[in-house]
Amino acid sequence: MDSILRAAGMYVALMLLFRVAGRRSLADLTTFDFVLLLIIGEATQQALLGDDFSFINAMLVIATLIVLDVGLSLAKLNSKPLARLLDGHATLVVEQGRFLHQRMRRARLTEDDILESARDSQGIEHVEQIKFAIVERNGKISVIPKE
Amino acid sequence: MNEDELLSRHEPVEEDIRMQERVWRFERVGWYVLVVIILLALAGAFGNGPLSDAQVTSTDGRIQVEYQRLSRSGTTDDLRITVHGIAGKPVKVMLGGSLLREASIETMQPEPQSSISHGEALLLQLGTSRDGIATLYLTLRSESVGTLEGIVRTSPTSAVSFSTFLYP
């Protein structure tokens, strides 16, 4: 029983922590982010399994996590407000070649971050060439160039 | 935020900037909350720190117990029991309470001369040093959650009780 409670507790706790970390935090996985992610996984694993290394326990933990995750996505399908609450919105950060600085500051984005995405995805050199840059719900920056 | 940036855009994506503001505020407040949690943890609010280290002495001063006020389920904790007896003569110590019942004793140093059960408690006979002091070092591990109480007694008049709260 406690392995299921543990898995459920961990699911909720991690969801809250990653919400606090913001969607940008682990969006563009640098080498360091990757190592950080591994360490987080390592720290989680102990608390999830306890000292029960049985096959059944591992299956119960995995099943609980999948049930919660699928359940949540089903709930999101049925309730738009819930989906908005959990996933957030896409947010504009560049509009018609103009940075929206206050929004960028709150989203912890610098001009360089946006220009980097623009170069990477669209081969854009200057902000004037960007029609829209949008922080997507998963933290990636989409860039739409001017025609 | 200046007025223009506060407005929700509808092209190319549908925005709800008020909601987004709340999300940003949540991130900011959440960050401070995490900082506070880390500072509390450093201070020992979750065990092993100044807030958690505790010491209790019996009213007649014969027993002294050093224990952790706060701890976590599944971790090992040190417990040090010092008993003042008569020099050269062994001293009898009774360990009881839910802590010593629920937790498993991982190590016990030094080995007591004898160890027998006494109801739900454990009756130990310890050798004393030349100045009449016997010290017992215990490591305990408990899987339970909540408040556990420990009682150490040498005679009906000298006893100490202490409690440990175990986080999940």
Side-chain angles (χ1 to χ4, degrees), chain A residues 21-33:
Chain A
R23 49 192 172 181
R24 280 291 301 158
S25 300
L26 296 169
D28 292 316
L29 224 52
T30 63
T31 317
F32 183 69
D33 288 336

Side-chain angles (χ1 to χ4, degrees), chain A residues 20, chain B residues 24-37:
Chain A
V20 168
Chain B
W24 285 327
R25 204 171 309 128
F26 176 81
E27 284 177 17
R28 183 45 73 88
V29 171
W31 186 77
Y32 284 111
V33 171
L34 290 186
V35 169
V36 169
I37 289 175

Side-chain angles (χ1 to χ4, degrees), chain A residues 16-17 19-23 51 84-85 88-92 95 98-104 106-108 132 134 144, chain B residues 1-2 4-9 11-17 19-21 23-24 26-31 34 141 143:
Chain A
L16 271 174
L17 277 175
R19 217 27 53 83
V20 168
R23 49 192 172 181
D51 44 15
R84 284 283 158 93
L85 180 72
H89 295 252
T91 311
L92 233 63
E95 192 177 37
R98 187 171 58 91
F99 285 116
L100 302 175
H101 279 108
Q102 274 142 330
R103 289 176 172 212
M104 283 161 56
R106 280 175 171 70
R108 302 201 306 268
F132 295 117
I134 303 148
I144 301 167
Chain B
M1 217 186 247
N2 82 34
D4 175 50
E5 291 195 20
L6 252 177
L7 296 172
S8 294
R9 309 300 201 264
E11 268 304 309
V13 287
E14 192 69 35
E15 285 188 333
D16 182 352
I17 203 70
M19 183 73 188
Q20 192 57 44
E21 281 268 289
V23 170
W24 285 327
F26 176 81
E27 284 177 17
R28 183 45 73 88
V29 171
W31 186 77
L34 290 186
R141 183 205 291 275
E143 293 293 336

Side-chain angles (χ1 to χ4, degrees), chain A residues 5-73:
Chain A
L5 291 181
R6 249 201 284 253
M10 192 55 79
Y11 185 88
V12 174
L14 281 181
M15 177 171 277
L16 271 174
L17 277 175
F18 276 81
R19 217 27 53 83
V20 168
R23 49 192 172 181
R24 280 291 301 158
S25 300
L26 296 169
D28 292 316
L29 224 52
T30 63
T31 317
F32 183 69
D33 288 336
F34 183 63
V35 173
L36 212 59
L37 212 56
L38 285 180
I39 298 171
I40 293 172
E42 194 72 15
T44 313
Q45 181 244 343
Q46 299 282 334
L48 271 182
L49 294 180
D51 44 15
D52 181 352
F53 299 122
S54 61
F55 178 78
I56 294 285
N57 190 40
M59 284 300 132
L60 283 177
V61 167
I62 295 169
T64 311
L65 293 175
I66 289 177
V67 163
L68 284 172
D69 210 43
V70 172
L72 205 61
S73 59

